Amino acid sequence: MLYDSSNIFARILREEIACDKVFENDHVLAFKDISPQAPQHILIIPKGDYCNFHDFHENAPALLINEFYRTIRLVIQQCHLEKNGYRLITNCGVDSGQIVDHYHVHLLGGKNLGSLIVS
Ligand code: AMP
């Protein structure tokens, strides 16, 4: 799959669209989901042209991969989600229902999230 730089997260990274920023460094941006599915619902994205999990792990430099997951942990700490727990989700491809084709991880928490629903 070719990366399409007109996707909404690419536009957020270019600051063409505003976001409710939670954390940013040279490699990663985290911001609140516009349609939260839990009291805390944050999207964490790498700064790079990667469509999904597969693309990221095949093509991103090791430094960025390392920094990305290190940052997720920082955001979890910043949001005080360590004690009660949280869920990380990444959708990849059509069957997952992935809407935005820029790699992202959902961080959800702030309540008991129940069990995963598979339908
Ligand atoms: P996914 O199905 O994993 O591709 O999820 C994409 C997520 O992006 C959804 O949870 C949307 O609510 C969220 N989203 C879409 N547009 C925006 C936006 N402009 N700002 C924040 N979140 C967004």
Side-chain angles (χ1 to χ4, degrees):
M1 180 182 200
L2 279 179
Y3 183 82
D4 177 359
S5 61
S6 67
N7 76 73
I8 196 127
F9 294 171
R11 297 184 67 197
I12 286 173
L13 283 175
R14 292 196 297 269
E15 300 184 341
E16 294 168 7
I17 296 175
C19 70
D20 193 347
K21 194 184 296 183
V22 172
F23 182 91
E24 183 171 23
N25 64 21
D26 287 346
H27 305 286
V28 184
L29 175 67
F31 53 96
K32 293 186 181 174
D33 196 293
I34 205 166
S35 176
Q37 303 299 307
Q40 301 226 53
H41 185 170
I42 293 153
L43 298 168
I44 303 158
I45 68 174
K47 294 184 176 180
D49 295 352
Y50 306 104
C51 301
N52 54 37
F53 177 85
H54 274 283
D55 187 18
F56 186 60
H57 283 268
E58 275 179 32
N59 297 310
L63 178 76
L64 179 57
I65 294 172
N66 189 47
E67 183 66 17
F68 184 65
Y69 294 106
R70 199 183 69 81
T71 301
I72 290 177
R73 191 160 180 279
L74 280 181
V75 174
I76 290 165
Q77 286 176 321
Q78 184 179 308
C79 296
H80 307 291
L81 289 171
E82 269 183 316
K83 183 166 175 275
N84 286 345
Y86 52 87
R87 181 172 290 157
L88 298 174
I89 297 173
T90 188
N91 292 315
C92 181
V94 176
D95 279 357
S96 75
Q98 182 178 2
I99 296 167
V100 181
D101 291 327
H102 180 112
Y103 179 46
H104 55 280
V105 171
H106 297 253
L107 167 62
L108 297 132
K111 70 168 188 179
N112 186 318
L113 297 167
S115 54
L116 276 177
I117 298 167
V118 180
S119 59

